[in-house]
Amino acid sequence: MNLGACSSSFSSKKMHRQIFLVSLLLIGPAFADLLQNSDFESPPSNLPKNSTTPFQQLNENSTIPGWSFEGTILYVTTTQTIALPGNGHALQLGQDGKINQTFNPIADYVDYLLTFTLAPGGQNCSTNANVGVSAPDSHSIFSFKQDYGKEGWETFGLYLGSWEQQEPINLVLESQSTESDANSTCWPLIDKLLLKTIETLVPGDNNLLLNGGFEYGPEFLSNSTEGVLLDPVPTAVLSPLRQWSITGTVKYIDSKHYFVPEGNAAVEFLSGVSASIQAATTLKDGSTYSLEFTLGDANDSCEGNFVVGAQAGSTAQNFTLQSNGTGSAKKLSLAFKADSTTTLISFVSYATTQTKDGVFCGPIVDNVVLRASQGMKSEIKWEVFIFLLFLVGIL
């Protein structure tokens, strides 16, 4: 036996395995159907036969495939007054209504992002459509906002958490209404849940910002033209828009239904002066950098004079775009010198705009690229190379 050849073959296989594992870390997003009956199309058991009402209350003998429930839960079918994003079925979380499902993580410490749809149970009662979403170590409350889209429902995205593979995760959705009337039709409707996983993001040598193109965020509904609303998140660690914290409300939009300057996704600012996103990155103090980005409109009939402030460390500048709402964009840049090792990059919208239909809208930002001056590029590439060698070593 040629031991040298055998050793060489083994080393080659090991190297190929390490390169493959590193490439998985570079890929980033993945999608897995981890939830059962996530659109509630498989009906509960023991439903009344030949019922003509769109709201059918479940009892103690009912079971929902894939889900457990407590409190008042109603199975809902589409009617002329209730529009649903799925194929015609949803659950209404009534008084003390709670549903939950346990799933198993597919890998250790990947990030889990949830997309779900929220709607009020009737007309003129949007203020009662409040839902709490919980997982281990996380809890968020979402409210139907109204005037953030043309449909009678809204889609939200959130960060659920990151756990070890062997740890069962219990996902809970429950009504958070202050309504005291147990017979009220205004309790929230839940439909169409999508659970997405994202691997660890690592820096590239062409952009010092992670997720500068906003490609890593919650999953989009295939049949929705409204995008995904992202509520305020004070820290990037817990943000569904990975690596970016959020102030106010922004809309995560896809290239299938909106104008997106580059790639598959972008961010649209909705709530005026309080809407902003912010990322932190480590730079070399005293060195010069260039922040490049694209400013535009989403082709959603949003007309107006958009003013967006860009800030990198202590350097700030306002940029203006006159929008006719048909999908326009221009590339802009901001040069600055890093005045600390940790530098904050932020974008804020200074205008509140609505379409002729009364829907809140605003400017979009995409393709944010942070580059070092020419003298720093070789140093940055070596840092990335050393980081990848470290990953190969521990694998």
Side-chain angles (χ1 to χ4, degrees):
M1 176 182 291
N2 188 334
L3 295 179
C6 180
S7 174
S8 175
S9 175
F10 176 78
S11 298
S12 176
K13 289 180 180 179
K14 182 178 179 182
M15 179 178 296
H16 280 102
R17 176 179 175 272
Q18 291 172 336
I19 293 174
F20 172 73
L21 290 174
V22 171
S23 69
L24 285 180
L25 290 175
L26 293 171
I27 288 173
F31 183 75
D33 188 13
L34 298 179
L35 297 178
Q36 303 177 50
N37 195 20
S38 58
D39 55 5
F40 310 113
E41 293 304 306
S42 297
S45 62
N46 301 320
L47 288 178
K49 295 182 178 180
N50 302 322
S51 175
T52 58
T53 175
F55 295 87
Q56 301 179 58
Q57 185 169 336
L58 307 185
N59 57 42
E60 64 275 7
N61 297 319
S62 301
T63 58
I64 309 173
W67 298 88
S68 300
F69 74 93
E70 300 176 19
T72 302
I73 302 293
L74 296 91
Y75 191 59
V76 184
T77 56
T78 300
T79 68
Q80 293 181 349
T81 58
I82 301 174
L84 300 174
N87 295 323
H89 300 91
L91 291 182
Q92 184 176 38
L93 309 184
Q95 188 173 36
D96 300 321
K98 177 190 298 185
I99 60 172
N100 68 283
Q101 182 174 147
T102 300
F103 66 90
N104 294 314
I106 61 173
D108 286 343
Y109 299 112
V110 297
D111 296 321
Y112 289 81
L113 309 180
L114 179 68
T115 303
F116 75 97
T117 300
L118 172 64
Q123 296 179 338
N124 302 318
C125 53
S126 61
T127 56
N128 205 41
N130 305 317
V131 168
V133 182
S134 302
D137 305 320
S138 69
H139 177 74
S140 302
I141 297 178
F142 298 87
S143 302
F144 186 83
K145 299 181 182 306
Q146 207 167 33
D147 299 328
Y148 277 67
K150 297 179 181 179
E151 302 291 345
W153 41 266
E154 295 170 344
T155 303
F156 292 87
L158 70 150
Y159 172 83
L160 278 186
S162 178
W163 310 278
E164 293 184 3
Q165 189 171 357
Q166 66 270 22
E167 180 182 357
I169 304 303
N170 188 36
L171 172 64
V172 180
L173 293 91
E174 55 188 321
S175 60
Q176 298 285 328
S177 177
T178 58
E179 175 62 59
S180 59
D181 181 6
N183 297 318
S184 172
T185 61
C186 289
W187 299 95
L189 302 181
I190 295 296
D191 192 16
K192 204 67 178 177
L193 290 86
L194 297 175
L195 190 57
K196 179 179 184 179
T197 62
I198 293 184
E199 305 264 355
T200 302
L201 303 181
V202 298
D205 60 352
N206 293 321
N207 192 352
L208 298 179
L209 279 179
L210 293 176
N211 200 19
F214 309 118
E215 297 298 297
Y216 306 114
E219 188 70 15
F220 294 104
L221 298 185
S222 60
N223 61 343
S224 170
T225 61
E226 295 299 328
V228 181
L229 296 178
L230 306 181
D231 278 351
V233 184
T235 170
V237 176
L238 304 179
S239 174
L241 185 65
R242 301 309 294 145
Q243 306 298 324
W244 294 85
S245 61
I246 302 169
T247 302
T249 299
V250 302
K251 182 180 286 187
Y252 192 51
I253 60 175
D254 65 317
S255 59
K256 182 178 178 180
H257 300 103
Y258 294 86
F259 170 70
V260 171
E262 184 170 321
N264 298 316
V267 173
E268 180 180 15
F269 295 99
L270 297 181
S271 57
V273 68
S274 61
S276 67
I277 56 174
Q278 184 179 80
T281 186
T282 301
L283 302 179
K284 188 173 182 179
D285 189 7
S287 295
T288 303
Y289 297 85
S290 174
L291 178 67
E292 303 169 4
F293 63 97
T294 301
L295 177 63
D297 75 86
N299 189 24
D300 56 0
S301 302
C302 192
E303 302 177 15
N305 191 38
F306 296 156
V307 180
V308 172
Q311 183 165 352
S314 60
T315 302
Q317 184 176 339
N318 291 342
F319 298 87
T320 302
L321 174 72
Q322 184 62 44
S323 168
N324 58 11
T326 58
S328 61
K330 60 180 180 180
K331 293 186 176 181
L332 303 165
S333 64
L334 174 67
F336 69 98
K337 180 177 291 187
D339 48 18
S340 65
T341 54
T342 300
T343 300
L344 297 180
I345 306 296
S346 64
F347 297 91
V348 57
S349 174
Y350 289 116
T352 299
T353 313
Q354 288 179 283
T355 66
K356 294 178 180 179
D357 297 328
V359 176
F360 283 101
C361 60
I364 62 172
V365 170
D366 193 18
N367 194 29
V368 182
V369 178
L370 179 61
R371 291 191 174 97
S373 62
Q374 187 65 34
M376 286 286 293
K377 286 185 178 179
S378 59
E379 178 181 342
I380 294 166
K381 290 182 179 180
W382 274 108
E383 289 175 353
V384 173
F385 181 70
I386 293 171
F387 175 74
L388 291 178
L389 285 180
F390 172 74
L391 286 178
V392 171
I394 63 175
L395 291 174

